[in-house]
């Protein structure tokens, strides 16, 4: 009912679990059956668990100072993350940004931080990572601008939280 797609990239073996297209069976008018929806949800949950495990592995590698393997673990986790797990995806991008920065790849770190900001503009961590990457590239004025944006985003988030109380 499901197929496993195994990929080996840079020493990491990834197993993506997804519904098998031909085995799902379609309901009338092109809608999937209830069973197919349940299988798809089950596959997404399995992929989310694998992504969370890879994230934990990346965090452990980062803390040990193994920044390149950490970046690869975060990349693998990003590939496994279901498309609607937005907060996990943004956290993985921010973590990979930190790993890239420590690995000496500020351009890649900046790209990931910017992508994380698009997904989660109220999260302060990607602003910090972007400012550090820009500083590493010698773009100090741009880094100061990012810090200013972070302060405003944090103030807006705090005001929203206060209003909800």
């Amino acid at each position: 009912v499901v197929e496993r797609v195994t990929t080996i990239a840079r020493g990491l073996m990834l197993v993506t679990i997804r519904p098998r297209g031909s085995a799902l069976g379609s309901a009338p008018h092109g809608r999937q059956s209830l069973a197919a929806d349940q299988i798809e949800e089950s596959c997404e949950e399995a992929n989310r668990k694998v992504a969370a495990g890879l994230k934990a592995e990346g965090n452990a590698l980062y803390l040990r100072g193994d920044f390149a393997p950490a970046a690869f673990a975060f990349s693998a986790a990003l590939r496994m993350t279901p498309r609607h797990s937005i907060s996990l995806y943004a956290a993985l991008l921010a973590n990979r940004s930190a790993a890239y920065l420590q690995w000496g790849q500020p351009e890649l770190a900046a790209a990931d931080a910017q992508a994380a900001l698009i997904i989660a503009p109220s999260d302060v961590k990607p602003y910090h990572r972007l400012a550090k990457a820009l500083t590493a590239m010698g773009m100090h004025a741009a880094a100061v601008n990012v810090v200013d944006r972070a302060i405003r985003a944090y103030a807006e988030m705090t005001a929203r939280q206060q209003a909800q109380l």
Side-chain angles (χ1 to χ4, degrees), residues 16-17 19 28 33-34 39 45 51 58 61 63 65 101 105 112-113 121 124 128 131 149 162:
T16 304
I17 303 168
S33 68
L34 180 58
I39 292 168
E45 182 59 29
L61 289 164
L63 291 174
L101 188 59
Q105 304 292 325
D112 275 0
V124 177
H128 179 246
R149 286 176 35 211
Q162 291 289 330

Side-chain angles (χ1 to χ4, degrees), residues 84-104:
H84 62 275
S85 297
I86 296 170
S87 61
L88 176 58
Y89 202 83
L92 288 166
L93 284 168
N95 288 3
R96 189 171 69 175
S97 176
Y100 279 150
L101 188 59
Q102 292 298 322
W103 185 19

Side-chain angles (χ1 to χ4, degrees), residues 30-47:
R31 285 187 272 164
Q32 289 183 343
S33 68
L34 180 58
D37 289 340
Q38 290 170 338
I39 292 168
E40 188 170 350
E41 286 175 24
S42 176
C43 291
E44 286 182 358
E45 182 59 29
N47 285 341

Side-chain angles (χ1 to χ4, degrees), residues 6-14 72-73 75-76 79:
T6 304
T7 307
I8 298 178
R10 301 183 194 247
L12 294 173
M13 185 172 91
L14 305 176
F72 292 132
S75 295
R79 285 190 294 274

Side-chain angles (χ1 to χ4, degrees), residues 67-145:
F67 303 117
F72 292 132
F74 293 133
S75 295
L78 283 163
R79 285 190 294 274
M80 296 299 295
T81 302
R83 65 183 162 272
H84 62 275
S85 297
I86 296 170
S87 61
L88 176 58
Y89 202 83
L92 288 166
L93 284 168
N95 288 3
R96 189 171 69 175
S97 176
Y100 279 150
L101 188 59
Q102 292 298 322
W103 185 19
Q105 304 292 325
E107 294 85 4
L108 295 173
D112 275 0
Q114 288 173 327
L117 284 172
I118 290 169
I119 296 168
S122 62
D123 186 0
V124 177
K125 216 183 264 190
Y127 288 102
H128 179 246
R129 305 272 162 75
L130 179 57
K132 286 180 75 170
L134 291 170
T135 299
M137 292 187 290
M139 302 173 69
H140 303 289
V144 169
N145 184 27

